[in-house]
């Protein structure tokens, strides 16, 4: 099942994608797609609905972030062998964890807004997932069962903020618009092997990233277990799992995004995103 949120920013409605690709309105069934509807039993109830019984949404409404109001947005750095190599970093022996501000989250086709003072705006196609069950000190089996679904994330990054301004990575990762997610939340039952998905990203039509989640060092179920040793995870929390090689930082010479550039990206079975870069107002 593919769950979607559509409509103007701040006024999105819940929906699901039917077999023909149409959007069916779920507002008569649930108030929104958030942590309150992501438990396994609630997901099963939604999967049992015949989409044909739901109103068909007409036109081409904006697609919003596929999960509303997450409590946390956790990110994993240097989690692909080829990306670690291109940045000159050692392969991590344990996951590298940082946080993206939840205020950075946006729809999959919303603009990337260059923050004031930005010099090195970069892209990262990533597989992300959302937690459906509360987790504390869980093992990998329990971690796998706690994942409600998967989606595409562009971990937009400002490398000068991230690496040249002192302190932690967070300041280069959490600017407004730096977390486009979606277009859909694909429930876990439809993604039997999240560690075997092709992924790609283009800038202005030129392929920059072409990879596979096979190259992830730490897989999703392990990441849930690992994170739960350091923080509790609640339904609706988001985790984005790292990027393959091909980011602007790793190019020789480095290549960063300019105003007007168009970024398109996608992951097998999880849909595609498209963003245009615009200056901060």
């Amino acid at each position: 099942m593919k769950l979607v949120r559509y409509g103007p920013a701040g006024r999105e409605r819940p929906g699901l994608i039917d077999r023909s690709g149409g959007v069916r309105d779920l507002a008569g069934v649930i108030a929104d797609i958030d942590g309150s509807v992501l438990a396994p039993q609630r997901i099963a109830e939604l999967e049992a609905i015949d989409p044909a019984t739901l109103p068909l949404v007409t036109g081409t409404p904006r697609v919003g972030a596929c999960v509303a109001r997450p409590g946390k947005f956790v990110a994993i750095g240097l989690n692909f062998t080829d990306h670690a190599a291109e940045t000159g970093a050692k392969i991590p022996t344990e996951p590298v964890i940082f946080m993206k501000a939840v205020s950075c989250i946006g729809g999959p086709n919303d603009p990337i807004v260059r923050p004031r003072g930005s010099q090195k705006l970069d892209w990262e196609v990533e597989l992300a997932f959302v937690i459906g069950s509360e987790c504390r000190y869980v093992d990998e089996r329990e971690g796998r069962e706690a994942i409600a679904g998967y989606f595409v994330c562009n971990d937009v990054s400002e490398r000068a903020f991230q690496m040249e301004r002192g302190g932690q990575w967070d300041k280069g990762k959490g600017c407004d618009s730096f977390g486009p997610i979606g277009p859909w939340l694909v429930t876990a039952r439809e993604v039997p092997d999240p560690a075997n998905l092709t992924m790609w990203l283009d800038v202005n039509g030129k392929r920059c990233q072409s990879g596979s989640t096979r190259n992830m060092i730490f897989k999703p179920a392990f990441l849930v277990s690992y994170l739960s040793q350091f923080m509790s995870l609640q339904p609706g929390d988001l985790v984005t799992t790292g990027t393959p090689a091909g980011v602007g930082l790793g190019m020789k010479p480095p290549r960063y995004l300019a105003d007007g550039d168009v970024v398109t990206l996608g992951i097998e079975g999880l849909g595609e995103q498209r963003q245009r870069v615009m200056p901060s107002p």
Side-chain angles (χ1 to χ4, degrees):
M1 179 175 60
K2 297 181 176 69
L3 296 171
V4 67
R5 299 175 68 248
Y6 68 95
R11 294 187 285 122
E12 293 92 346
R13 295 171 63 90
L16 61 79
I17 305 299
D18 65 23
R19 291 182 180 179
S20 64
V23 177
R24 298 284 178 161
D25 184 74
L26 268 174
V29 180
I30 56 175
D32 209 341
I33 299 167
D34 58 17
S36 68
V37 300
L38 295 176
Q41 181 178 350
R42 294 289 283 133
I43 290 289
E45 292 170 356
L46 294 177
E47 289 179 326
I49 295 173
D50 178 0
T53 64
L54 300 171
L56 179 65
V57 177
T58 58
T60 54
R62 169 187 171 272
V63 178
C66 58
V67 179
R69 297 174 295 280
K72 292 190 286 294
F73 193 177
V74 185
I76 308 300
L78 302 174
N79 194 31
F80 279 64
T81 53
D82 52 355
H83 176 55
E86 75 172 342
T87 63
K90 293 182 179 179
I91 301 298
T93 57
E94 295 193 36
V96 175
I97 300 170
F98 61 94
M99 296 288 188
K100 290 177 75 74
V102 294
S103 54
C104 82
I105 295 170
N109 304 315
D110 292 347
I112 295 171
V113 180
R114 173 189 299 280
R116 295 177 185 179
S118 170
Q119 300 174 344
K120 299 179 179 180
L121 190 62
D122 207 348
W123 58 84
E124 295 188 9
V125 58
E126 302 201 0
L127 171 71
F129 59 84
V130 62
I131 298 295
S133 304
E134 189 170 38
C135 297
R136 288 185 176 88
Y137 303 108
V138 300
D139 60 25
E140 285 192 54
R141 179 190 61 79
E142 294 168 317
R144 183 177 299 104
E145 293 174 353
I147 296 173
Y150 298 87
F151 53 91
V152 182
C153 174
N154 186 356
D155 177 20
V156 182
S157 307
E158 213 303 329
R159 302 301 188 186
F161 293 1
Q162 176 189 354
M163 306 173 74
E164 302 170 20
R165 300 289 297 273
Q168 309 267 328
W169 288 3
D170 301 43
K171 65 182 71 174
K173 295 286 191 171
C175 302
D176 290 354
S177 80
F178 275 25
I181 61 171
W184 316 303
L185 169 60
V186 182
T187 51
R189 192 166 65 88
E190 291 199 18
V191 189
D193 189 0
N196 189 26
L197 302 174
T198 58
M199 51 202 312
W200 59 271
L201 182 145
D202 294 349
V203 178
N204 299 329
K206 180 179 179 180
R207 183 61 43 95
C208 295
Q209 291 186 275
S210 181
S212 170
T213 56
R214 290 192 303 272
N215 289 328
M216 281 194 297
I217 301 165
F218 305 108
K219 312 302 184 186
F222 174 84
L223 289 172
V224 176
S225 175
Y226 185 86
L227 290 168
S228 77
Q229 312 306 308
F230 303 98
M231 65 188 81
S232 63
L233 299 173
Q234 282 82 38
D237 285 349
L238 311 180
V239 181
T240 189
T241 63
T243 197
V247 300
L249 173 68
M251 295 182 175
K252 295 181 174 36
R255 189 268 198 239
Y256 298 112
L257 294 168
D259 294 345
D261 283 349
V262 175
V263 182
T264 52
L265 58 147
I267 298 178
E268 178 185 354
L270 303 184
E272 300 182 3
Q273 300 186 355
R274 182 183 188 277
Q275 299 114 25
R276 183 179 294 276
V277 180
M278 61 178 291
S280 178

